[in-house]
Amino acid sequence: MQEKSVAIDGPAGAGKSTLARALARELGYLYVDTGAIYRTVALRAWEAGADPSDPEQIAPLLKGLDLRMDYGADGVQRMYLSGRDVTEAIRVHQISGLASQVAALPPVRDFLLDFQRRQAMEHDVVMDGRDIGTVVLPRAGVKIFLTAAPEARAERRLLELRQRGQEAEFDAVLSDILRRDEQDRTRAVAPLRQAEDAVLLDTTELDRAGSLEALLAIVREGLSR
Ligand code: DC
């Protein structure tokens, strides 16, 4: 039910997915990573050799799109494209930029809106993304806008990439994050912004445990109202 859901929005690298997953576990909710859904559409575009910024090329791909997600015994959200498990494939560096591009296209956002809302109708969810509190779940029980300084976000993203065995340079990761922020914030449809009724949580000075504690306090207070 939407009124019991938790919506978490914010820029790339703010720690949304790590925190949202931990929060969902704590609440016994389902965690829905909406970025992964956009990434799967981006992978489809990439494999089809389509221009990710051209709606005329992307819209036809949506018609035959066989996109599915499920949850393993470990609670990890897995994404499937035409039956193929693409959970790892959508995490590569190029897909981040492509996802931000396809996410700016109105036909892509329209197509994914129902898909995302359905999850919140069927389950109590912690859902993270860019427009969850503003567009997807406007009646969410608690809305959080999670952010951190760009340098802190780049540092965390770098660590995450390295843990996955991907090499990257700090400056490149930072400029990539800034470019994506700009793209996500300035698009015409459902841009990244804080909902009026969202609580702002800045984690620049907080470690993971401190961030989770702060997040839990906001959510418990919000859901008890
Ligand atoms: O959270 P992420 O980095 O996995 O998201 C990838 C891209 O998808 C991001 O740059 C913007 C887009 N996105 C979006 O526009 N709306 C969402 N609800 C989630 C992601």
Side-chain angles (χ1 to χ4, degrees):
M1 192 179 51
Q2 199 174 135
E3 285 75 7
K4 280 178 74 186
S5 334
V6 179
I8 304 182
D9 291 301
K16 294 188 301 291
S17 51
T18 314
L19 289 171
R21 189 176 302 116
L23 177 67
R25 196 174 309 127
E26 195 71 31
L27 297 174
Y29 279 22
L30 188 71
Y31 165 51
V32 182
D33 169 3
T34 64
I37 309 173
Y38 285 93
R39 284 169 180 270
T40 304
V41 174
L43 180 66
R44 174 75 187 98
W46 162 262
E47 290 183 346
D51 176 349
S53 62
D54 181 359
E56 308 262 307
Q57 292 187 40
I58 302 299
L61 294 180
L62 298 172
K63 291 211 181 77
L65 193 69
D66 173 8
L67 187 139
R68 202 166 53 77
M69 73 192 211
D70 71 14
Y71 293 84
D74 51 5
V76 172
Q77 174 182 318
R78 305 207 74 83
M79 298 301 309
Y80 299 87
L81 182 60
S82 305
R84 178 167 51 109
D85 187 340
V86 296
T87 312
E88 313 300 331
I90 58 172
R91 294 293 151 196
V92 303
H93 192 58
Q94 304 93 300
I95 297 295
S96 304
L98 292 179
S100 180
Q101 284 183 282
V102 296
L105 305 178
V108 173
R109 303 210 73 86
D110 286 349
F111 181 83
L112 293 187
L113 190 57
D114 279 353
F115 188 87
Q116 296 169 89
R117 283 195 177 144
R118 235 179 357 255
Q119 307 300 321
M121 275 184 329
E122 291 167 7
H123 312 273
D124 292 333
V125 295
V126 173
M127 192 176 275
D128 80 8
R130 303 293 187 285
D131 63 335
I132 309 306
T134 51
V135 177
V136 181
L137 304 178
R139 290 183 286 110
V142 188
K143 299 180 184 178
I144 292 138
F145 194 80
L146 195 70
T147 190
E151 291 74 16
R153 292 188 279 127
E155 200 62 63
R156 292 173 195 167
R157 190 39 65 98
L158 191 65
L159 209 69
E160 194 183 307
L161 287 170
R162 290 198 172 142
Q163 278 166 355
R164 286 206 192 98
Q166 297 176 39
E167 250 332 295
E169 293 295 326
F170 177 82
D171 288 348
V173 173
L174 178 61
S175 68
D176 190 60
I177 275 187
L178 293 174
R179 193 173 47 244
R180 270 218 287 156
D181 282 0
E182 174 71 10
Q183 204 160 264
D184 295 343
R185 283 201 170 105
T186 57
R187 68 181 174 222
V189 190
L192 166 66
R193 68 175 178 82
Q194 182 177 345
E196 271 164 29
D197 49 353
V199 179
L200 177 69
L201 176 56
D202 186 322
T203 64
T204 307
E205 304 292 336
L206 299 174
D207 62 6
R208 188 179 174 280
S211 304
L212 182 59
E213 198 179 317
L215 186 63
L216 270 171
I218 296 168
V219 171
R220 292 217 164 102
E221 151 93 29
L223 289 178
S224 68
R225 263 187 274 122

